[in-house]
Amino acid sequence: MSEKKQFVAQGRLIDEMSLKNRLVELFTKWEVILSFLFVVVFIFFTNMSPYFLDWFNLMNATFQFSEKAILALPMIFIIMCGDIDISIASIIALCAYVIGISAEAGASIPTLIVLSLLVGSAAGLVNGLLITGLNMPAIAVTLATQNIYRGIATGMLGEHACTKYPQGFGFFGQEFIPGTIIPFAFVLYLALMLVFFFVLHKTAYGRRLYAIGNSAETARFSGINVRRTRIINYTLTGFFCGISAVLLASRILSVRSNIATGWDLEVITLVVLGGVSISGGRGTVFGVFISSLLVGYLKFGMGLLKFSGTVMTIVIGSLLIIAVLLPRLLDIYKANRKLKIQQGGL
Amino acid sequence: MPDNSFSQFVRRTFARREATLMVLLVVLLVPITVRSPQFLSPKNISTILNDMAILVIVAIGQFYVILSNGIDLSVGSVIAFTGMACGMINESFPQVPVGLLLLVGMGIGAGLGLVNGVLVAYGKIPPIITTLGTMSIFRGMTFLLSKGTWVTAHEMTDSYIALPRTTFLGISYLLWIALFVIVLFYYFSRNTRTGREIYAIGGNPTAAKFVGVSESRIRLVVFLISGTLCGLAGSLWTARYASAVNEMATGFEMQAVAACVLGGVNFSGGAGGIIGVALGTLFLGVVTNALPVIYLSVFWQTFVQGLIVLMALALNTISDQRKTRKLLEQRRG
């Protein structure tokens, strides 16, 4: 009976929520804060540089961040389950190495793409099997494979740079959709983003990810194959590293062993800044979409204002820390507020 | 029965990672020495030991962070920042004595470690995220500090550059410092209250809290230790390589973690010891130095290190799971 009473009390609580309370609720939502920040960044850079708010420039800027934004999508799944993968930059290096030497050996464009996707998926699968097979910590395993994958590329390539590619390979990373000013890579990203939105928010698989992130143990007891899901997540991430490697190799048309270094940090930053909880179980694809655009245009704008890459690294690192710290503070604020409302203070 | 107790003694000794590592080291050294007899020459041995001196200092810092269930990915960047700072101080103020320079390095390192520690202990940000962020922040600060330039050998004082090479009783100062750090922290781990509390927090945070261990304080302390030791390592690094470069010690976190994992430190926290870490560092040093002997180019170094870590990690996990199972069986009676 007391339970019923509480339920009624809560119903009344929602009814009695004033407009002010509802507004506070809305504006302390992470996605709303991010969108607001995004607008601020746009207004700021438009005022600072005459070259910022220009359709052609804005579209051109997507070349710089589409590859990383694509990687952030499967990383949502991994972090959602409370896992982490810091080997993605090395998987890209491995895929790019395979693309580079195969192209030098005279492989066709479809062969290059298939090889890259296969190698990436295999590397991701190995990660997943190692982590779930012996139940080893994800951070330690991917730190090791980070060196193994990058090590293969470094060992095989040495100081060599692969610069010979078939005619037309540059399309994926350099060209626009014919007749428009929209880059192919950005359209690919948007399409993949919609797919991920659908999978995470509208399918059973997506709901399972939330369940695992909240409590892997509970999820296992409710019949979810946690081990298989985690392996799928890692393989998917490897597959997407393969896609990203094709775009990157096609964009810069030169593969060295140090390709894509530091991308682990940037991609994880995008996901965490997008509101995916690092301890798992919370986050949306929309949030990560906004954070990808936010970081992408922040870097573009800073580049226009002639900030060095160093300053940008510092900004990205700080963003990562702030992105984790701020929601914690917001949670505390919300909890205090709720307490006050329940006590009838507001 | 003396026979039985002897076999028990053997089994118990070999259950310890330190003994296993010693045996592995010898097993590894035999074919290497057969192939290249000068590998065990006093000169080569001292080269290996000096190469490993800086790593063991950093690995001990990393050891405490891993012991408390964390990880410090920012060690390479802390080394770079302090190394660059020490190099620039030495260039601008040559009159500053070398001893003071090392202390300044440790001070700067402690400051950076404090940033990590406060974010983890009081900001409640997971160590992996904190140090992934500060890794690039500290590296970026190094570039800002140096404005992209280097400090080269002839811009530094002779006494600073000579520090790692000067010997005392036939052993280099660099090695003496490393030995001192090993002994100091061996004592700290086993005989001080804070040292034991780090084990307690790593082993079982909830239980540790119930007996009155402050989790925040311990988390702050481990990052403070790691930062200070990285600061010391940074000031020594600049002297040893006679230059301060912005990219220095990139990827060093991997080697520090490798030394710990090899030494039997467990990622689930609460297990491992200083001697294990020192032996793990030595093992890593021998393998790295042996690469040319087996005609493997230095480009394969990253690969080999990654592979070693993975194998050691698997070994640790399997032996840990076996231990837990045995314990459960014992409890069932």
Side-chain angles (χ1 to χ4, degrees), chain A residues 198-227:
Chain A
F198 180 77
V199 172
L200 184 62
H201 300 300
K202 304 285 171 203
T203 67
Y205 189 81
R207 302 314 298 170
R208 272 185 226 137
L209 294 176
Y210 282 98
I212 293 172
N214 277 308
S215 168
E217 199 71 349
T218 316
R220 202 164 63 83
F221 283 134
S222 11
I224 296 173
N225 192 337
V226 176
R227 189 167 168 241

XYZ file of all heavy atoms in Angstrom, chain A residues 198-227:
238
model
N 19.570 3.979 -35.616
C 18.509 2.976 -35.663
C 18.850 1.773 -34.776
O 18.048 1.335 -33.963
C 18.281 2.533 -37.117
C 17.222 1.502 -37.269
C 15.876 1.861 -37.201
C 17.546 0.169 -37.466
C 14.887 0.901 -37.320
C 16.560 -0.796 -37.589
C 15.221 -0.423 -37.519
N 20.081 1.263 -34.941
C 20.462 0.054 -34.199
C 20.454 0.300 -32.694
O 19.924 -0.497 -31.920
C 21.853 -0.447 -34.648
C 22.326 -1.588 -33.747
C 21.814 -0.901 -36.097
N 21.017 1.431 -32.273
C 21.132 1.667 -30.826
C 19.782 1.964 -30.187
O 19.498 1.503 -29.086
C 22.107 2.820 -30.554
C 22.386 3.085 -29.072
C 23.042 1.874 -28.420
C 23.277 4.300 -28.874
N 18.943 2.737 -30.882
C 17.727 3.194 -30.223
C 16.473 2.422 -30.617
O 15.447 2.546 -29.956
C 17.516 4.680 -30.498
C 18.648 5.515 -29.993
N 18.997 5.546 -28.667
C 19.546 6.310 -30.628
C 20.040 6.343 -28.506
N 20.399 6.811 -29.682
N 16.516 1.639 -31.710
C 15.280 1.006 -32.175
C 15.349 -0.520 -32.258
O 14.400 -1.146 -32.679
C 14.907 1.543 -33.575
C 14.759 3.039 -33.668
C 13.474 3.525 -33.040
C 13.480 5.040 -32.971
N 12.585 5.552 -31.932
N 16.488 -1.120 -31.933
C 16.545 -2.577 -32.041
C 16.864 -3.218 -30.681
O 17.312 -2.542 -29.755
C 17.645 -3.039 -33.025
O 18.914 -2.699 -32.470
C 17.488 -2.415 -34.387
N 16.627 -4.530 -30.612
C 16.901 -5.274 -29.383
C 18.384 -5.235 -29.066
O 18.793 -5.153 -27.904
C 16.429 -6.721 -29.539
N 19.212 -5.267 -30.129
C 20.653 -5.245 -29.918
C 21.058 -3.984 -29.148
O 21.844 -4.034 -28.202
C 21.395 -5.304 -31.255
C 22.883 -5.499 -31.099
C 23.404 -6.764 -30.877
C 23.752 -4.410 -31.139
C 24.762 -6.948 -30.704
C 25.113 -4.586 -30.969
C 25.615 -5.859 -30.763
O 26.958 -6.045 -30.572
N 20.491 -2.851 -29.559
C 20.795 -1.590 -28.889
C 20.389 -1.611 -27.426
O 21.139 -1.178 -26.553
N 19.190 -2.150 -27.155
C 18.734 -2.208 -25.762
C 19.635 -3.098 -24.927
O 19.889 -2.836 -23.766
C 17.289 -2.734 -25.684
C 16.253 -1.940 -26.461
C 16.350 -0.461 -26.271
N 16.135 0.006 -24.901
C 16.366 1.245 -24.497
N 16.836 2.139 -25.336
N 16.140 1.591 -23.251
N 20.132 -4.172 -25.568
C 21.047 -5.080 -24.851
C 22.310 -4.344 -24.420
O 22.840 -4.568 -23.344
C 21.423 -6.247 -25.760
C 20.444 -7.398 -25.655
C 20.941 -8.568 -26.481
N 19.832 -9.076 -27.257
C 19.888 -9.431 -28.518
N 21.037 -9.357 -29.178
N 18.840 -9.880 -29.138
N 22.792 -3.450 -25.313
C 24.009 -2.704 -24.980
C 23.804 -1.880 -23.711
O 24.664 -1.851 -22.828
C 24.401 -1.787 -26.136
C 24.823 -2.484 -27.429
C 25.080 -1.464 -28.523
C 26.054 -3.330 -27.202
N 22.635 -1.207 -23.615
C 22.338 -0.429 -22.411
C 22.313 -1.340 -21.183
O 22.830 -0.998 -20.128
C 20.985 0.281 -22.546
C 21.029 1.524 -23.399
C 20.642 1.503 -24.724
C 21.474 2.727 -22.859
C 20.687 2.644 -25.504
C 21.517 3.882 -23.628
C 21.116 3.827 -24.959
O 21.167 4.961 -25.718
N 21.700 -2.513 -21.363
C 21.578 -3.452 -20.238
C 22.962 -3.888 -19.753
O 23.246 -3.897 -18.558
C 20.758 -4.665 -20.662
N 23.834 -4.235 -20.723
C 25.173 -4.692 -20.351
C 25.937 -3.569 -19.649
O 26.616 -3.791 -18.650
C 25.948 -5.158 -21.604
C 25.298 -6.420 -22.164
C 27.412 -5.433 -21.273
C 25.869 -6.854 -23.497
N 25.784 -2.350 -20.176
C 26.503 -1.222 -19.600
C 26.069 -0.926 -18.174
O 26.874 -0.536 -17.341
N 24.789 -1.131 -17.888
C 24.315 -0.863 -16.537
C 24.735 -1.934 -15.561
O 25.111 -1.638 -14.434
C 22.790 -0.713 -16.536
C 22.393 0.690 -16.925
O 22.890 1.656 -16.347
N 21.549 0.824 -17.926
N 24.697 -3.181 -15.990
C 25.205 -4.265 -15.151
C 25.374 -5.502 -16.027
O 24.395 -6.133 -16.409
C 24.261 -4.553 -13.993
O 24.650 -5.770 -13.399
N 26.629 -5.824 -16.312
C 26.905 -6.980 -17.167
C 26.382 -8.265 -16.525
O 25.861 -9.145 -17.195
C 28.405 -7.088 -17.433
N 26.496 -8.298 -15.204
C 26.086 -9.502 -14.473
C 24.572 -9.719 -14.608
O 24.111 -10.795 -14.958
C 26.478 -9.337 -12.998
C 26.545 -10.624 -12.239
C 27.726 -11.499 -12.644
O 28.399 -11.222 -13.657
O 27.966 -12.467 -11.946
N 23.814 -8.647 -14.353
C 22.358 -8.721 -14.472
C 21.961 -9.093 -15.896
O 21.073 -9.911 -16.115
C 21.717 -7.376 -14.108
O 22.355 -6.886 -12.925
C 20.239 -7.514 -13.869
N 22.642 -8.483 -16.866
C 22.335 -8.757 -18.268
C 22.547 -10.234 -18.572
O 21.747 -10.864 -19.268
C 23.214 -7.892 -19.167
N 23.634 -10.786 -18.017
C 23.943 -12.195 -18.276
C 22.843 -13.086 -17.678
O 22.399 -14.045 -18.301
C 25.293 -12.547 -17.662
C 25.963 -13.769 -18.269
C 27.422 -13.807 -17.897
N 27.617 -13.927 -16.462
C 27.583 -15.082 -15.807
N 27.397 -16.209 -16.458
N 27.746 -15.129 -14.509
N 22.397 -12.715 -16.491
C 21.368 -13.527 -15.841
C 20.027 -13.392 -16.540
O 19.165 -14.242 -16.396
C 21.234 -13.152 -14.359
C 22.342 -13.718 -13.525
C 22.999 -12.938 -12.588
C 22.752 -15.040 -13.692
C 24.023 -13.463 -11.832
C 23.778 -15.569 -12.937
C 24.418 -14.783 -12.004
N 19.828 -12.296 -17.291
C 18.550 -12.181 -18.015
C 18.663 -12.757 -19.420
O 17.826 -12.479 -20.267
C 18.059 -10.736 -18.057
O 19.028 -9.863 -17.631
N 19.697 -13.530 -19.668
C 19.758 -14.287 -20.913
C 20.449 -13.593 -22.065
O 20.351 -14.034 -23.202
N 21.145 -12.483 -21.789
C 21.875 -11.812 -22.859
C 23.262 -12.448 -22.967
O 23.934 -12.650 -21.953
C 22.010 -10.301 -22.568
C 20.634 -9.644 -22.549
C 22.911 -9.633 -23.595
C 20.655 -8.212 -22.112
N 23.648 -12.771 -24.201
C 24.983 -13.339 -24.395
C 25.996 -12.196 -24.396
O 26.317 -11.618 -25.432
C 25.032 -14.120 -25.712
C 26.285 -14.957 -25.805
O 27.292 -14.669 -25.155
N 26.228 -16.005 -26.605
N 26.461 -11.852 -23.191
C 27.330 -10.686 -23.028
C 28.628 -10.861 -23.800
O 29.110 -9.958 -24.478
C 27.626 -10.442 -21.534
C 28.610 -9.293 -21.370
C 26.350 -10.149 -20.781
N 29.185 -12.071 -23.712
C 30.471 -12.337 -24.340
C 30.382 -12.111 -25.852
O 31.210 -11.427 -26.434
C 30.853 -13.788 -24.029
C 32.235 -14.091 -24.444
C 32.765 -15.399 -23.881
N 33.975 -15.645 -24.629
C 34.179 -16.696 -25.404
N 33.264 -17.636 -25.489
N 35.289 -16.811 -26.077
